[in-house]
Amino acid sequence: MTETRLTQFAAGGGCACKIPAAQLEGIVAGLSGATHPDLVVGLDTGDDAAVVRIAGGQAVISTADFFTPVVDSAYDWGRIAAANALSDVYAMGGLPVLAINLLGWPVDVIDTDLIPDVLRGGADIAEGAGIPLAGGHSITAPEPIYGLAVTGVADPGRLLRNDIAEPGLPISLTKPLGVGILGNRHKATGEIFPEAIATMTQLNDAASAAALAAGVRAATDVTGFGLLGHLFKMCRASGVSARIDRAAVPVLEAAVASLREGYVPGGSRRNLDWVRPHLDAGPGVSEDDLLLLADAQTSGGLLIVGEIPGAPVIGETTRHTGSGPRITIP
């Protein structure tokens, strides 16, 4: 029996299937964020999740994230999608308390016997996070889609946000880059990269707790818009610029080789096109360097303005004096 390759049924894979950043910003440009006395974080800064203040001095964090298959294994796809959805809560400095499934399936094209494997993967990640995964919603769809809607809680005075970064602070990254490139190679060849699956299924819970313990105030997670895209969004929201040391950025070794062989997701190229006008790259920075920094990540690490144990410092925030933020890569 021929194994079903789920990635062959998706136009994009993982967070690379996001609407491109430039196009998305044009779509929402005419919309205004909701106003409510208890809304702490909403639409305006493009942060990782919405936050609302509730009685008892707590805040509720709400998010939803889903995408098409990034790997052929139904079980691993479920795990990756669940870890990615939970990351939005951790990126805000919160603790997830409940999740529900979101599933779309082309029932006339792909055997529904694979669905329990997807759901089991999501359930195992939720169990590892210590929360119930209770119910959800499913529809028929032209492509397989899976993810979670997640509810979390946090102290509203200790949130991690993308709009309060200050200049003169170190920037740390908690996971290596390159899973987008390896996902592109996996889709094209069927090759499996265990190191990519391992990093995508790793929860960001410990990194979030370490950031809070270190007094960090500004953070975001690195997903479909790549390191450069998410850093640019943070700089723009906070009114700062940044300098990145390319040599200090952790990268999966297999991704470097795969990039040289031409395995680059279209989403990564679009990310670079979007952020390139805001870059000041030195003469020693190659196009491949920039593509790695713009690589569309799925379930990536936290990008932290500050230092935490075990996470490499990859640069620093700086003051900017122009009309908008600049990202310098010497």
Side-chain angles (χ1 to χ4, degrees):
M1 183 176 178
T2 303
E3 180 183 1
T4 300
R5 293 201 57 207
L6 287 174
T7 57
Q8 304 307 297
F9 295 90
C15 289
C17 72
K18 281 185 174 182
I19 294 175
Q23 187 175 2
L24 180 61
E25 292 201 334
I27 292 169
V28 302
L31 303 178
S32 58
T35 56
H36 190 280
D38 293 324
L39 184 66
V40 181
V41 178
L43 172 69
D44 295 333
T45 64
D47 216 326
D48 293 293
V51 183
V52 65
R53 200 177 283 106
I54 60 171
Q58 274 196 316
V60 168
I61 302 173
S62 183
T63 186
D65 209 310
F66 53 86
F67 47 65
T68 53
V70 66
V71 291
D72 290 326
S73 164
Y75 175 71
D76 285 339
W77 173 39
R79 293 198 299 150
I80 293 164
N84 180 75
L86 289 167
S87 181
D88 284 343
V89 173
Y90 295 130
M92 301 294 297
L95 291 174
V97 296
L98 173 69
I100 58 175
N101 293 297
L102 303 172
L103 176 74
W105 202 262
V107 295
D108 296 326
V109 179
I110 305 177
D111 196 333
T112 56
D113 287 350
L114 290 173
I115 293 177
D117 291 336
V118 179
L119 299 179
R120 191 173 74 254
D124 283 353
I125 288 294
E127 182 178 3
I131 66 168
L133 178 52
H137 185 64
S138 60
I139 61 168
T140 60
E143 294 180 294
I145 299 168
Y146 178 65
L148 303 179
V150 185
T151 301
V153 294
D155 178 344
R158 298 188 67 210
L159 290 172
L160 302 176
R161 301 176 54 148
N162 74 347
D163 62 346
I164 52 176
E166 298 178 351
L169 294 176
I171 299 171
S172 304
L173 180 64
T174 66
K175 287 187 185 182
L177 303 181
V179 298
I181 291 165
L182 294 181
N184 185 262
R185 182 166 187 158
H186 173 67
K187 181 176 181 178
T189 69
E191 294 172 83
I192 297 172
F193 297 92
E195 64 270 43
I197 295 173
T199 188
M200 289 188 287
T201 54
Q202 177 187 345
L203 292 174
N204 282 325
D205 53 349
S208 178
L212 290 172
V216 168
R217 300 177 64 231
T220 188
D221 63 352
V222 179
T223 55
F225 299 146
L227 169 65
L228 290 178
H230 289 284
L231 177 59
F232 170 67
K233 288 181 63 178
M234 176 183 283
C235 287
R236 183 176 61 184
S238 301
V240 299
S241 290
R243 182 187 61 81
I244 294 297
D245 178 1
R246 164 63 190 90
V249 177
V251 178
L252 294 172
E253 289 185 13
V256 178
S258 297
L259 177 59
R260 285 197 298 263
E261 295 176 39
Y263 294 101
V264 184
S268 301
R269 294 191 186 279
R270 289 190 292 271
N271 287 342
L272 181 54
D273 289 342
W274 175 56
V275 78
R276 195 189 295 272
H278 311 284
L279 299 180
D280 296 315
V285 179
S286 69
E287 187 73 3
D288 279 1
D289 289 331
L290 295 177
L291 282 169
L292 272 168
L293 295 175
D295 188 38
Q297 302 301 281
T298 297
S299 191
L302 297 188
L303 184 63
I304 294 170
V305 180
E307 292 187 64
I308 64 170
V313 172
I314 63 167
E316 64 181 350
T317 53
T318 61
R319 298 187 182 278
H320 78 80
T321 57
S323 59
R326 307 295 301 177
I327 299 175
T328 302
I329 312 169

